[in-house]
Amino acid sequence: MKPYLLIFLFLLSTKVFAQENAFITGKIVDSKTSLPIEYVGVILSSKIDSNKKVGVVSNKAGEFFFKDIAKGDYTLKISAMGYNPILKTITFSGKNIDLGVLKIKEDAIALKDVSVAGKYATATVKIDTVEFNADAYKTQPNAAVEDLLKKLPGVTIDKDGSILVQGQKVTRLTVDGKDFFGTDPKTATKNLPADVIAKVQLIDAKTLEAKATGIDDGQREKVLNLTIKEDKKNGWFGNANLSGGTTDRYSGYLSANHFTKKMQFAILGMSNNVSNASFQYEDLNSFTSGNIGNLFAPPGGGGFSINVNNGRTTIGGSGVFDNSAIGEVTTHSGGLNFSNSWGAKDKLTLSSSYFTYFSKGLGNRFSIVQDINQDDVLRTDEVSNRNSDNQAHRFNFKVEYHPDSLTDLTFRSNAILNYTTNINNRNFNSAFDLTGKINEGSQLLDQRNSTPAFFGELSATRRLKKGSIIIGLNGSQNTFNSNWLNKSLINNYRSGVVDVTDLNQQAEQENKSQNYSVAVNYIRPIVDKKLNSNIAYIRNEGKVDAQQLTLSYNPLNNTYDAVVHDFSNTLENKTWTQTARLGLIYNRTEWTYNFGLGFQETGLDASTFSSAGINTNNIDKKYYNILPRLNINFRNKNKHTLQLNYNANVNLPSVNDLQPVQNNSNPLYQRIGNPELEARKSHRMSVNFNTFSADNNKYWNGYFLVNYALDDVGNSINYVDGVQYVQPVNVDGNYYINTGTYFGQPTKLKGLRMGYGVNLSLSHNTSFINQEKNITNRYNFGPNANFNYDIDDKLNAGIYIGVQYSKVNNSQPSALDNKYFNFSNSASLSYEFIKNTRINTELNHNGAAGRADGFNNNVFLLNAGLDQYFMQRRITLSLKGFDILNQNTNIDRTVNGSRIEDIRFNSITRYFYVSLNYKITKVGVKSEKSNPRSTVN
């Protein structure tokens, strides 16, 4: 049928019009599904002479295109089998005409006599969006959105639940275009049912600034948007689950959602004692709107570390999430999410959410630490038990108002209230390989923290006759209150003599930080919208008041009243940054060039005071820098993209790095700040490319990143009696390189997809060990491959193979060079061998080689279960086993310039449980009938 249509239209396309260099274009979609329609005939007829016609057919994206058209009046006719035709009158004056999206309606009468077997288009490719039809990818009953995403070509879900699209991390998630639980991707993917999703849209979204001004700056973020099926709106859907098992294990879960065309309401609840606890990285990232440093860096800003292990995120140095529960954890958590819009074109939009968790954990930790110490190696064995009690409350609020077509107003605020209690008992002993035992001891540390943090931002955009102006105001306040009881007893061995240190101290710490900023950005077209300029001014001001008071126990009056001066002082710190930026943006059809220069003044004014109120040190510094920026972006209709980004930054040292007060909460690791630190200057360049083809579902991604720093912050480490005394110092020449590539495609065997990739990283860092310079070069190399096999959801199987090789070299002759492997492999199988009865099994292998004795375990974690479905699969009764081989352990290795640390935590081992799941379905609305023209197999 299609070839004859093409021949007929070709004959009509005889050049009967005088040629002009202009075109008429449009896009044809189904009015119900909004999916593009291929092979639709479009005929353009002259009104003067109806015999003069030209015809084309729509492509896979539903698009059609006429060119070389003479001026005049025309009739446009769009016709397709099973649809009502569309007639339009067009006056062509020689200028390009874009008819936009044309929705074509089904002809119900004609469809009675038409039966065509086929499938919905699995994917539609636009310039900035890849859109998948969810009905084309079968999932198991009760499956979550995460299970659907795993089936999409080019989409992978890593171990902590992060979503990667062609190798790029999804930074934001929306449902029907609206934020869902503060844009946290995992909250939606792990809790929304897969069968309510109509489309999955993977969007290379423009920046908010580009959307507001209409000027494309070339910058993109990867956004995942889920659209809800129309028949699932105006009702309720979700899941309720209750599980109980051996060894007193239990789990309860509720997810209920109510959506309309403009309103979204969702409830989440969870209670369990199977160590499903703590925030995910994306949870914190969305809470801070992509800038975790705004709230969770040390109270004065500056450096901190983020560690993700099995989905749990800790932020070292923040005082907020440092002490998350470990080991066996009991958790109660839940949240509410609401969004709505009012007025034509969503003139007013509001979204808000509240999330809370309470967790208690009992953790057993065993570690072996190897420290570099000039001509010898210091080895420390440590066993600790931690009782933790954490609670957190998180609020998000956002409102957008568009009073007219030229003005956009946005207000956003969030707050977090976090309370932690940790009681830690540790026993340790240290010995040098050559000189023998150096110390042994024990410690009780009882620490209680409270951390309220608040953030607010107001932005306004006004489009002018020529250009746009954007004004932004934001402010944050972070208060960290902590008090702890520290009891330590240490035996130091010196030349056969035992020196005993008996420590009994109580400390209080209060850090208050405030930060305010104002930004004004003016963007103006120079040549149409191809060449644009922008001028910006940004002012940041920060203030920190940090004080620590440490008291020693007085046995005479049974109180803590003796001030420990080395561990007590006050710091007042003020910082400011003002930056003037000039930039040019040049847009071509497929290329965008964005170049800018920033002229920055940075200032720091700090004073320290002793516990008696005496000024002990003043810091007054200013820095002047020119900061270049370059972004080059390429993207075309075939979904090929190339991005090159370069920028330079200046960062002031943190208050923790500057404050000259010791912290002895760890008796083997004591740290003091350095008020002489200079600002850190860094140069960062990245290159990314992506290709994706909807025709064959192949994708290829590659990336390269290099970061080079001047006046970076390294550590100067000195060992005295087995104790590390650490102070930050400036070093030059630190750099980091990371590169990798990924490829994925379906195979000739129906239902089988494969993907494979490799990554390589190199870091070069400088430290000082007992006054001698040590350069550490670290290499990581990791290939991986995955295979997924799906047959009509009856049989689902998957295999993942991954290995990571790490090598660490140090310049000091006696330093510990290190080589080790980490293995991460998994296999899964799900088979419905009898109707409504399914078996599931999953085997995970985690292994290591080259670590310390006792840490090279090869762990095989086997989980299996049997599911029975009732009431048209609305009820699922399951019998499942966790860690059937009874091998579960939690092992980790950390390596830095002077230390190798192997850690093992206690973990939940084998148990069996019965689970009952009830699928909540909407009420009051019948499901839409499927498209009679198509049958989804």
Side-chain angles (χ1 to χ4, degrees):
M1 188 74 177
K2 294 175 183 175
Y4 297 106
L5 176 62
L6 291 171
I7 294 171
F8 175 71
L9 291 172
F10 176 77
L11 293 174
L12 290 177
S13 301
T14 308
K15 293 192 176 180
V16 293
F17 303 135
Q19 294 185 5
E20 296 281 344
N21 187 21
F23 60 81
I24 300 173
T25 186
K27 179 177 180 178
I28 304 168
V29 301
D30 186 291
S31 62
K32 282 189 176 181
T33 66
S34 295
L35 293 174
I37 305 177
E38 185 181 7
Y39 293 111
V40 175
V42 186
I43 298 177
L44 194 66
S45 304
S46 171
K47 277 195 170 185
I48 298 175
D49 185 356
S50 59
N51 292 321
K52 295 181 178 181
K53 301 178 179 179
V54 61
V56 297
V57 293
S58 61
N59 60 20
K60 292 182 179 180
E63 299 167 340
F64 63 88
F65 188 91
F66 290 98
K67 63 179 180 179
D68 302 331
I69 305 299
K71 298 178 181 178
D73 296 325
Y74 298 91
T75 298
L76 182 80
K77 183 177 182 180
I78 300 173
S79 57
M81 182 178 294
Y83 288 91
N84 292 318
I86 294 178
L87 294 175
K88 293 181 72 69
T89 298
I90 297 175
T91 298
F92 186 67
S93 62
K95 295 183 179 180
N96 297 340
I97 296 177
D98 184 358
L99 299 174
V101 176
L102 302 170
K103 295 184 177 181
I104 188 169
K105 296 182 179 180
E106 292 178 346
D107 185 343
I109 296 176
L111 282 173
K112 290 181 180 179
D113 301 321
V114 177
S115 177
V116 180
K119 287 189 175 183
Y120 290 119
T122 58
T124 302
V125 176
K126 306 173 185 177
I127 293 180
D128 291 324
T129 303
V130 179
E131 183 177 272
F132 294 97
N133 173 27
D135 285 335
Y137 299 89
K138 286 291 187 178
T139 55
Q140 298 179 29
N142 305 324
V145 169
E146 183 178 83
D147 301 302
L148 169 64
L149 295 179
K150 290 178 180 178
K151 295 178 178 292
L152 303 183
V155 179
T156 57
I157 311 291
D158 66 15
K159 281 190 171 182
D160 70 348
S162 299
I163 307 166
L164 301 176
V165 179
Q166 291 102 50
Q168 291 182 303
K169 194 169 186 176
V170 170
T171 57
R172 191 160 62 92
L173 181 140
T174 56
V175 177
D176 284 336
K178 297 180 180 180
D179 291 346
F180 189 81
F181 274 99
T183 72
D184 170 22
K186 292 179 186 174
T187 305
T189 59
K190 289 182 177 294
N191 297 290
L192 282 177
D195 59 3
V196 306
I197 304 302
K199 299 172 189 174
V200 177
Q201 297 173 328
L202 306 173
I203 305 169
D204 291 323
K206 297 178 181 178
T207 61
L208 295 177
E209 182 178 292
K211 291 178 182 177
T213 62
I215 297 174
D216 189 354
D217 57 8
Q219 298 299 297
R220 295 293 188 274
E221 65 171 337
K222 188 67 72 174
V223 176
L224 174 66
N225 182 57
L226 306 173
T227 67
I228 304 297
K229 294 178 179 177
E230 289 298 322
D231 69 317
K232 298 297 183 182
K233 296 178 181 179
N234 300 315
W236 289 85
F237 61 87
N239 284 292
N241 182 279
L242 183 63
S243 304
T246 59
T247 63
D248 297 325
R249 301 297 172 190
Y250 75 89
S251 176
Y253 170 79
L254 171 67
S255 171
N257 306 271
H258 177 59
F259 287 2
T260 67
K261 289 187 176 181
K262 291 195 173 186
M263 188 272 288
Q264 298 179 2
F265 179 71
I267 304 172
L268 285 176
M270 177 178 66
S271 178
N272 69 82
N273 64 354
V274 292
S275 295
N276 185 5
S278 90
F279 282 119
Q280 305 288 339
Y281 175 83
E282 278 74 17
D283 199 27
L284 302 175
N285 191 54
S286 64
F287 168 59
T288 60
S289 298
N291 189 356
I292 291 178
N294 271 352
L295 293 182
F296 301 130
F304 61 103
S305 62
I306 299 176
N307 301 295
V308 180
N309 185 22
N310 294 327
R312 185 179 68 249
T313 301
T314 57
I315 304 182
S318 71
V320 182
F321 295 103
D322 298 357
N323 300 310
S324 60
I326 63 172
E328 298 188 23
V329 183
T330 298
T331 302
H332 315 288
S333 63
L336 301 172
N337 184 67
F338 173 81
S339 64
N340 205 349
S341 59
W342 297 268
K345 297 183 180 180
D346 296 335
K347 188 173 185 178
L348 176 65
T349 302
L350 181 147
S351 60
S352 61
S353 66
Y354 165 71
F355 195 86
T356 184
Y357 80 79
F358 299 80
S359 67
K360 291 186 177 182
L362 176 61
N364 306 121
R365 182 181 185 273
F366 173 64
S367 68
I368 294 178
V369 180
Q370 304 172 69
D371 286 309
I372 303 166
N373 185 40
Q374 289 183 319
D375 299 327
D376 209 343
V377 175
L378 176 66
R379 300 181 189 273
T380 303
D381 295 347
E382 181 181 310
V383 178
S384 63
N385 299 303
R386 178 193 291 177
N387 286 295
S388 58
D389 191 346
N390 305 331
Q391 64 170 293
H393 307 270
R394 193 197 75 208
F395 306 85
N396 290 310
F397 179 81
K398 181 180 179 182
V399 60
E400 297 180 69
Y401 179 53
H402 310 283
D404 54 56
S405 61
L406 301 176
T407 307
D408 301 318
L409 299 173
T410 301
F411 174 73
R412 181 172 55 89
S413 67
N414 45 47
I416 191 166
L417 307 175
N418 195 316
Y419 307 91
T420 64
T421 298
N422 288 281
I423 302 174
N424 195 39
N425 287 279
R426 67 189 341 172
N427 292 280
F428 51 86
N429 65 80
S430 301
F432 287 109
D433 285 354
L434 300 179
T435 59
K437 181 180 287 189
I438 187 67
N439 64 45
E440 63 181 2
S442 62
Q443 182 197 30
L444 167 65
L445 182 65
D446 184 343
Q447 186 169 17
R448 298 159 196 268
N449 302 331
S450 65
T451 312
F454 306 92
F455 174 79
E457 180 181 58
L458 175 66
S459 64
T461 302
R462 178 69 179 181
R463 286 170 286 279
L464 309 174
K465 186 175 181 179
K466 289 188 177 181
S468 301
I469 186 168
I470 303 173
I471 300 175
L473 303 170
N474 69 61
S476 65
Q477 178 170 310
N478 187 357
T479 303
F480 172 56
N481 298 309
S482 180
N483 62 78
W484 63 87
L485 174 66
N486 184 7
K487 294 183 178 181
S488 301
L489 181 65
I490 305 175
N491 295 325
N492 297 305
Y493 299 92
R494 299 173 179 157
S495 303
V497 178
V498 180
D499 182 13
V500 179
T501 301
D502 189 355
L503 186 69
N504 187 352
Q505 295 178 347
Q506 194 175 68
E508 294 181 356
Q509 185 179 26
E510 182 181 53
N511 294 347
K512 293 182 179 179
S513 73
Q514 296 174 330
N515 187 78
Y516 307 96
S517 70
V518 57
V520 180
N521 190 9
Y522 175 61
I523 301 175
R524 177 187 173 93
I526 298 176
V527 180
D528 295 327
K529 287 191 177 181
K530 290 186 176 181
L531 182 62
N532 304 274
S533 64
N534 64 64
I535 303 173
Y537 173 78
I538 303 168
R539 172 82 182 190
N540 290 285
E541 291 190 7
K543 179 182 179 181
V544 175
D545 292 320
Q547 55 184 337
Q548 179 174 312
L549 176 64
T550 304
L551 304 174
S552 185
Y553 177 71
N554 186 345
L556 298 178
N557 56 16
N558 194 31
T559 60
Y560 295 87
D561 59 5
V563 176
V564 185
H565 298 288
D566 287 342
F567 303 116
S568 303
N569 80 351
T570 299
L571 174 69
E572 295 177 356
N573 181 52
K574 295 180 181 179
T575 61
W576 70 91
T577 300
Q578 56 180 351
T579 307
R581 291 179 180 172
L582 302 174
L584 290 174
I585 303 172
Y586 178 52
N587 287 298
R588 300 180 61 187
T589 304
E590 296 178 335
W591 292 86
T592 300
Y593 305 89
N594 190 334
F595 172 76
L597 283 175
F599 305 90
Q600 185 179 90
E601 177 194 58
T602 305
L604 183 150
D605 185 0
S607 300
T608 57
F609 302 87
S610 69
S611 57
I614 300 173
N615 187 302
T616 57
N617 191 48
N618 293 299
I619 308 170
D620 187 3
K621 295 183 178 181
K622 287 185 180 180
Y623 308 92
Y624 298 92
N625 295 278
I626 298 176
L627 306 176
R629 172 179 53 84
L630 174 65
N631 308 113
I632 300 176
N633 291 270
F634 168 83
R635 61 186 65 248
N636 60 18
K637 291 184 177 181
N638 295 324
K639 202 54 182 177
H640 299 160
T641 66
L642 175 68
Q643 298 175 320
L644 184 148
N645 296 291
Y646 164 78
N647 59 72
N649 288 295
V650 175
N651 299 104
L652 288 170
S654 70
V655 170
N656 283 359
D657 286 340
L658 291 170
Q659 188 177 19
V661 62
Q662 282 184 259
N663 185 324
N664 66 339
S665 59
N666 184 341
L668 299 183
Y669 184 92
Q670 301 193 22
R671 193 174 185 278
I672 187 170
N674 179 4
E676 301 303 321
L677 287 177
E678 296 291 330
R680 179 181 185 269
K681 300 96 177 175
S682 63
H683 300 267
R684 178 187 176 94
M685 185 184 74
S686 64
V687 180
N688 291 271
F689 73 86
N690 287 274
T691 66
F692 177 76
S693 172
D695 294 334
N696 52 26
N697 285 336
K698 289 184 180 180
Y699 75 91
W700 182 29
N701 161 266
Y703 62 90
F704 174 82
L705 167 70
V706 59
N707 192 90
Y708 181 82
L710 298 171
D711 286 325
D712 201 3
V713 177
N715 286 327
S716 176
I717 303 170
N718 292 282
Y719 291 88
V720 180
D721 297 332
V723 177
Q724 288 190 64
Y725 293 89
V726 181
Q727 186 176 44
V729 294
N730 286 122
V731 295
D732 283 336
N734 284 357
Y735 62 83
Y736 172 75
I737 298 174
N738 188 23
T739 186
T741 185
Y742 300 90
F743 179 79
Q745 66 173 16
T747 66
K748 293 183 178 179
L749 180 63
K750 180 182 178 181
L752 179 63
R753 293 193 299 118
M754 65 178 295
Y756 46 87
V758 64
N759 62 79
L760 173 68
S761 65
L762 166 65
S763 64
H764 176 96
N765 293 287
T766 301
S767 60
F768 293 87
I769 303 172
N770 288 338
Q771 311 304 318
E772 290 191 10
K773 186 176 183 180
N774 180 56
I775 296 176
T776 302
N777 292 311
R778 182 184 306 169
Y779 311 86
N780 293 293
F781 175 75
N784 62 78
N786 66 83
F787 303 87
N788 292 283
Y789 185 55
D790 295 301
I791 297 296
D792 296 332
D793 199 39
K794 292 291 184 182
L795 175 65
N796 313 107
I799 296 175
Y800 176 84
I801 303 170
V803 61
Q804 184 82 27
Y805 171 72
S806 299
K807 181 179 180 182
V808 181
N809 291 334
N810 293 279
S811 62
Q812 281 198 14
S814 61
L816 290 172
D817 291 342
N818 193 253
K819 303 175 185 178
Y820 60 97
F821 289 87
N822 287 323
F823 306 99
S824 178
N825 307 307
S826 65
S828 63
L829 176 67
S830 178
Y831 179 47
E832 189 169 335
F833 62 99
I834 301 175
K835 186 177 181 180
N836 292 327
T837 304
R838 177 180 290 270
I839 58 171
N840 298 285
T841 183
E842 181 183 30
L843 179 65
N844 292 293
H845 166 242
N846 292 300
R851 294 180 174 180
D853 293 340
F855 292 86
N856 286 319
N857 303 43
N858 280 290
V859 176
F860 293 88
L861 185 65
L862 176 63
N863 304 323
L866 179 68
D867 298 335
Q868 182 66 49
Y869 307 119
F870 302 94
M871 292 181 61
Q872 297 181 333
R873 303 203 174 202
R874 289 179 63 182
I875 293 180
T876 305
L877 181 65
S878 306
L879 174 64
K880 299 184 178 181
F882 172 81
D883 187 24
I884 295 174
L885 303 178
N886 203 32
Q887 294 188 6
N888 190 30
T889 58
N890 189 350
I891 294 176
D892 195 17
R893 163 164 283 200
T894 303
V895 180
N896 58 34
S898 62
R899 167 171 285 202
I900 300 170
E901 184 173 15
D902 291 304
I903 306 169
R904 183 168 64 236
F905 299 101
N906 63 314
S907 301
I908 293 176
T909 53
R910 179 170 53 201
Y911 68 93
F912 298 88
Y913 62 101
V914 176
S915 175
L916 182 66
N917 189 89
Y918 176 73
K919 180 183 289 186
I920 303 170
T921 59
K922 65 179 190 62
V923 293
V925 183
K926 293 183 179 180
S927 300
E928 285 186 356
K929 293 182 180 180
S930 59
N931 189 334
R933 298 183 302 108
S934 302
T935 301
V936 181
N937 297 327

